[in-house]
Amino acid sequence: QKEVEQDPGPLSVPEGAIVSLNCTYSNSAFQYFMWYRQYSRKGPELLMYTYSSGNKEDGRFTAQVDKSSKYISLFIRDSQPSDSATYLCAMRRNSGNTPLVFGKGTRLSVIA
Amino acid sequence: GAVVSQHPSRVICKSGTSVKIECRSLDFQATTMFWYRQFPKQSLMLMATSNEGSKATYEQGVEKDKFLINHASLTLSTLTVTSAHPEDSSFYICSAKLGLAGDEQYFGPGTRLTVT
Protein backbone atom coordinates (compact mmCIF):
# COMPACT_ATOMS: atom_id res chain seq x y z
CA GLN A 1 0.00 0.00 0.00
CA LYS A 2 1.35 3.41 -0.95
CA GLU A 3 1.75 5.97 1.80
CA VAL A 4 -0.53 8.43 0.01
CA GLU A 5 -3.32 7.44 -2.37
CA GLN A 6 -4.98 9.87 -4.73
CA ASP A 7 -7.33 9.11 -7.60
CA PRO A 8 -5.63 10.42 -10.75
CA GLY A 9 -8.93 11.14 -12.51
CA PRO A 10 -9.41 12.77 -14.89
CA LEU A 11 -12.30 14.62 -13.29
CA SER A 12 -14.47 16.76 -15.53
CA VAL A 13 -17.07 19.17 -14.12
CA PRO A 14 -19.19 22.03 -15.50
CA GLU A 15 -18.31 25.60 -14.63
CA GLY A 16 -19.81 26.65 -11.30
CA ALA A 17 -19.81 23.15 -9.81
CA ILE A 18 -18.41 22.28 -6.41
CA VAL A 19 -15.34 20.09 -6.78
CA SER A 20 -14.23 17.61 -4.18
CA LEU A 21 -10.69 16.23 -4.31
CA ASN A 22 -9.46 13.64 -1.84
CA CYS A 23 -6.44 11.76 -0.59
CA THR A 24 -6.08 8.93 1.86
CA TYR A 25 -2.93 8.02 3.69
CA SER A 26 -1.64 5.16 5.75
CA ASN A 27 0.97 6.75 8.02
CA SER A 28 -0.68 8.11 11.15
CA ALA A 29 2.46 10.14 11.89
CA PHE A 30 1.62 12.67 9.16
CA GLN A 31 0.76 16.00 10.74
CA TYR A 32 1.23 18.65 8.05
CA PHE A 33 -0.99 18.58 4.99
CA MET A 34 -0.80 20.60 1.81
CA TRP A 35 -2.57 20.97 -1.49
CA TYR A 36 -0.71 22.10 -4.57
CA ARG A 37 -2.05 23.10 -7.98
CA GLN A 38 0.06 22.33 -11.02
CA TYR A 39 -0.67 23.65 -14.47
CA SER A 40 0.72 21.76 -17.43
CA ARG A 41 4.51 22.12 -17.77
CA LYS A 42 4.71 24.32 -14.68
CA GLY A 43 5.91 23.84 -11.13
CA PRO A 44 3.39 23.15 -8.33
CA GLU A 45 1.83 26.16 -6.61
CA LEU A 46 0.99 25.95 -2.91
CA LEU A 47 -2.76 26.40 -2.41
CA MET A 48 -3.50 25.32 1.14
CA TYR A 49 -1.47 24.36 4.16
CA THR A 50 -2.97 22.85 7.30
CA TYR A 51 -1.66 21.37 10.48
CA SER A 52 -3.41 18.43 12.15
CA SER A 53 -7.19 18.00 11.91
CA GLY A 54 -9.81 20.57 11.03
CA ASN A 55 -10.90 22.87 8.27
CA LYS A 56 -9.24 25.81 6.61
CA GLU A 57 -10.89 28.17 4.17
CA ASP A 58 -9.30 30.55 1.69
CA GLY A 59 -11.61 32.17 -0.82
CA ARG A 60 -13.23 29.48 -2.94
CA PHE A 61 -10.98 26.79 -1.48
CA THR A 62 -11.60 24.75 1.67
CA ALA A 63 -9.20 22.12 2.99
CA GLN A 64 -10.35 19.47 5.43
CA VAL A 65 -8.25 17.04 7.42
CA ASP A 66 -9.72 14.05 9.24
CA LYS A 67 -6.83 12.35 10.99
CA SER A 68 -9.04 9.68 12.55
CA SER A 69 -9.97 8.47 9.07
CA LYS A 70 -6.60 9.39 7.51
CA TYR A 71 -8.46 11.35 4.88
CA ILE A 72 -7.95 14.85 3.52
CA SER A 73 -10.08 16.83 1.11
CA LEU A 74 -9.94 19.97 -0.96
CA PHE A 75 -13.20 21.61 -1.98
CA ILE A 76 -13.42 24.18 -4.74
CA ARG A 77 -16.60 26.25 -4.86
CA ASP A 78 -17.91 27.98 -7.98
CA SER A 79 -15.30 26.25 -10.10
CA GLN A 80 -13.89 28.16 -13.06
CA PRO A 81 -12.20 26.99 -16.28
CA SER A 82 -9.01 28.55 -14.90
CA ASP A 83 -9.13 25.95 -12.11
CA SER A 84 -8.39 23.26 -14.70
CA ALA A 85 -5.09 21.77 -13.55
CA THR A 86 -3.62 18.83 -11.67
CA TYR A 87 -4.11 18.98 -7.91
CA LEU A 88 -1.55 17.26 -5.73
CA CYS A 89 -1.94 16.48 -2.06
CA ALA A 90 1.23 16.35 0.01
CA MET A 91 2.02 15.66 3.63
CA ARG A 92 4.87 15.27 6.06
CA ARG A 93 5.43 13.77 9.47
CA ASN A 94 6.83 16.74 11.33
CA SER A 95 8.31 20.15 10.96
CA GLY A 96 11.84 20.76 9.80
CA ASN A 97 13.34 19.14 6.75
CA THR A 98 11.27 15.98 6.62
CA PRO A 99 10.48 15.43 2.93
CA LEU A 100 6.99 15.87 1.60
CA VAL A 101 5.19 12.75 0.41
CA PHE A 102 3.02 13.47 -2.61
CA GLY A 103 -0.07 11.88 -4.01
CA LYS A 104 -0.13 11.13 -7.74
CA GLY A 105 -2.31 14.14 -8.44
CA THR A 106 -5.86 14.46 -9.76
CA ARG A 107 -6.33 16.03 -13.18
CA LEU A 108 -9.34 18.40 -13.13
CA SER A 109 -11.08 19.93 -16.13
CA VAL A 110 -13.72 22.61 -15.61
CA ILE A 111 -15.84 22.94 -18.73
CA ALA A 112 -17.29 26.36 -19.61
CA GLY B 1 3.84 33.52 -1.67
CA ALA B 2 7.58 33.22 -1.94
CA VAL B 3 9.18 33.14 -5.38
CA VAL B 4 11.51 30.44 -6.63
CA SER B 5 13.05 30.63 -10.09
CA GLN B 6 14.74 28.03 -12.23
CA HIS B 7 17.03 28.38 -15.20
CA PRO B 8 16.89 27.24 -17.90
CA SER B 9 13.20 26.48 -18.35
CA ARG B 10 13.96 24.09 -21.17
CA VAL B 11 17.15 22.45 -22.38
CA ILE B 12 18.01 19.95 -25.09
CA CYS B 13 21.38 18.25 -24.92
CA LYS B 14 23.18 15.40 -26.60
CA SER B 15 23.74 12.09 -24.92
CA GLY B 16 26.95 12.07 -22.90
CA THR B 17 27.04 15.77 -22.14
CA SER B 18 26.38 17.46 -18.80
CA VAL B 19 23.65 19.95 -18.00
CA LYS B 20 23.43 22.38 -15.09
CA ILE B 21 20.12 23.60 -13.71
CA GLU B 22 19.95 26.56 -11.34
CA CYS B 23 17.38 27.11 -8.61
CA ARG B 24 17.11 30.47 -6.89
CA SER B 25 14.96 31.77 -4.06
CA LEU B 26 14.30 35.35 -5.11
CA ASP B 27 12.84 37.03 -2.05
CA PHE B 28 13.84 34.84 0.88
CA GLN B 29 16.71 32.81 2.22
CA ALA B 30 16.33 29.08 1.83
CA THR B 31 18.42 26.96 4.13
CA THR B 32 16.94 23.87 2.54
CA MET B 33 16.19 23.17 -1.09
CA PHE B 34 14.76 20.03 -2.62
CA TRP B 35 15.17 18.57 -6.09
CA TYR B 36 12.38 16.55 -7.68
CA ARG B 37 11.92 14.73 -10.94
CA GLN B 38 8.55 14.31 -12.59
CA PHE B 39 7.81 12.00 -15.52
CA PRO B 40 4.72 12.60 -17.68
CA LYS B 41 1.46 12.06 -15.81
CA GLN B 42 3.37 11.00 -12.71
CA SER B 43 3.76 12.65 -9.34
CA LEU B 44 6.87 14.36 -8.09
CA MET B 45 9.65 12.06 -6.98
CA LEU B 46 12.11 13.50 -4.49
CA MET B 47 15.70 13.10 -5.65
CA ALA B 48 17.65 14.87 -2.93
CA THR B 49 17.53 17.33 -0.07
CA SER B 50 20.11 20.07 -0.14
CA ASN B 51 21.18 22.12 2.87
CA GLU B 52 23.26 25.24 2.43
CA GLY B 53 26.90 24.59 3.09
CA SER B 54 26.67 20.83 3.46
CA LYS B 55 26.41 17.74 1.29
CA ALA B 56 23.08 16.83 -0.19
CA THR B 57 21.11 13.86 1.07
CA TYR B 58 20.05 11.63 -1.80
CA GLU B 59 16.99 9.39 -1.91
CA GLN B 60 17.42 5.69 -2.43
CA GLY B 61 18.09 4.84 -6.04
CA VAL B 62 19.37 8.28 -7.01
CA GLU B 63 23.02 8.25 -8.08
CA LYS B 64 24.85 11.04 -6.33
CA ASP B 65 27.73 10.92 -8.80
CA LYS B 66 25.36 11.39 -11.69
CA PHE B 67 23.18 14.10 -10.17
CA LEU B 68 25.56 16.58 -8.58
CA ILE B 69 23.96 19.07 -6.22
CA ASN B 70 25.62 22.19 -4.93
CA HIS B 71 23.99 24.55 -2.44
CA ALA B 72 26.66 27.19 -2.06
CA SER B 73 24.50 30.05 -0.82
CA LEU B 74 21.19 30.65 0.90
CA THR B 75 19.56 31.62 -2.37
CA LEU B 76 21.10 29.28 -4.93
CA SER B 77 21.23 25.54 -5.48
CA THR B 78 22.37 23.82 -8.66
CA LEU B 79 21.71 20.37 -10.06
CA THR B 80 24.14 19.04 -12.65
CA VAL B 81 23.11 16.01 -14.65
CA THR B 82 26.39 14.43 -15.72
CA SER B 83 26.82 12.22 -18.76
CA ALA B 84 23.16 12.56 -19.56
CA HIS B 85 21.28 9.76 -21.30
CA PRO B 86 17.86 9.76 -22.99
CA GLU B 87 16.32 8.09 -19.94
CA ASP B 88 17.30 11.19 -17.92
CA SER B 89 14.83 13.20 -20.00
CA SER B 90 12.30 14.51 -17.52
CA PHE B 91 10.86 17.56 -15.80
CA TYR B 92 13.16 18.65 -12.97
CA ILE B 93 11.67 20.85 -10.27
CA CYS B 94 13.30 22.44 -7.27
CA SER B 95 11.63 23.73 -4.16
CA ALA B 96 12.75 25.79 -1.21
CA LYS B 97 11.73 26.03 2.41
CA LEU B 98 11.33 29.34 4.17
CA GLY B 99 14.26 29.32 6.57
CA LEU B 100 14.28 27.15 9.67
CA ALA B 101 10.93 28.12 11.14
CA GLY B 102 8.72 27.90 8.08
CA ASP B 103 7.08 24.72 6.93
CA GLU B 104 5.75 25.85 3.58
CA GLN B 105 7.62 24.63 0.57
CA TYR B 106 7.60 26.72 -2.60
CA PHE B 107 8.35 25.27 -6.00
CA GLY B 108 10.18 26.62 -9.00
CA PRO B 109 8.61 26.54 -12.48
CA GLY B 110 10.58 23.47 -13.48
CA THR B 111 13.15 22.65 -16.17
CA ARG B 112 12.31 20.33 -19.01
CA LEU B 113 15.37 18.33 -20.00
CA THR B 114 15.45 16.43 -23.27
CA VAL B 115 18.47 14.26 -24.00
CA THR B 116 18.83 13.23 -27.63
Side-chain angles (χ1 to χ4, degrees):
Chain A
Q1 181 189 10
K2 291 195 173 190
E3 275 196 296
V4 180
E5 299 274 6
Q6 183 176 12
D7 186 339
L11 178 63
S12 186
V13 301
E15 183 176 0
I18 296 175
V19 177
S20 172
L21 304 165
N22 313 292
C23 286
T24 58
Y25 61 94
S26 57
N27 189 341
S28 58
F30 286 133
Q31 296 186 64
Y32 296 85
F33 304 91
M34 293 126 208
W35 285 95
Y36 287 86
R37 176 175 62 196
Q38 186 177 23
Y39 292 110
S40 182
R41 301 176 187 271
K42 300 289 185 185
E45 170 193 7
L46 180 64
L47 277 180
M48 300 290 281
Y49 169 78
T50 54
Y51 168 69
S52 197
S53 284
N55 293 359
K56 185 173 183 178
E57 189 173 319
D58 184 1
R60 295 186 295 113
F61 299 91
T62 300
Q64 283 186 355
V65 174
D66 182 347
K67 291 190 72 179
S68 61
S69 302
K70 300 191 184 72
Y71 188 89
I72 69 171
S73 301
L74 177 71
F75 297 96
I76 307 174
R77 289 183 300 281
D78 187 25
S79 56
Q80 304 294 311
S82 58
D83 295 327
S84 298
T86 297
Y87 290 80
L88 298 135
C89 64
M91 49 198 78
R92 68 154 61 98
R93 293 191 303 276
N94 50 31
S95 184
N97 293 337
T98 311
L100 286 173
V101 180
F102 282 88
K104 274 197 165 185
T106 299
R107 197 149 51 93
L108 170 69
S109 293
V110 180
I111 311 300
Chain B
V3 179
V4 177
S5 72
Q6 271 183 251
H7 177 80
S9 59
R10 182 177 294 189
V11 57
I12 301 172
C13 71
K14 292 187 175 179
S15 189
T17 61
S18 295
V19 174
K20 180 186 280 189
I21 303 170
E22 290 187 351
C23 176
R24 292 182 187 272
S25 56
L26 296 185
D27 52 359
F28 66 100
Q29 292 186 329
T31 52
T32 304
M33 288 184 172
F34 304 87
W35 285 95
Y36 294 82
R37 183 165 50 183
Q38 187 178 34
F39 291 106
K41 298 187 180 182
Q42 299 292 317
S43 190
L44 286 78
M45 298 300 297
L46 179 66
M47 299 175 67
T49 301
S50 167
N51 290 300
E52 185 264 339
S54 61
K55 288 185 178 180
T57 302
Y58 289 81
E59 294 300 299
Q60 195 172 10
V62 178
E63 299 174 58
K64 62 180 180 180
D65 294 329
K66 180 171 181 61
F67 298 100
L68 302 178
I69 291 172
N70 184 284
H71 192 164
S73 78
L74 286 170
T75 59
L76 172 65
S77 177
T78 60
L79 167 68
T80 301
V81 182
T82 63
S83 187
H85 289 104
E87 56 265 31
D88 297 323
S89 299
S90 187
F91 194 49
Y92 291 87
I93 311 174
C94 72
S95 73
K97 253 174 93 302
L98 280 168
L100 292 173
D103 288 307
E104 293 91 342
Q105 208 173 92
Y106 293 91
F107 285 81
T111 297
R112 182 158 302 281
L113 170 63
T114 303
V115 184
T116 61

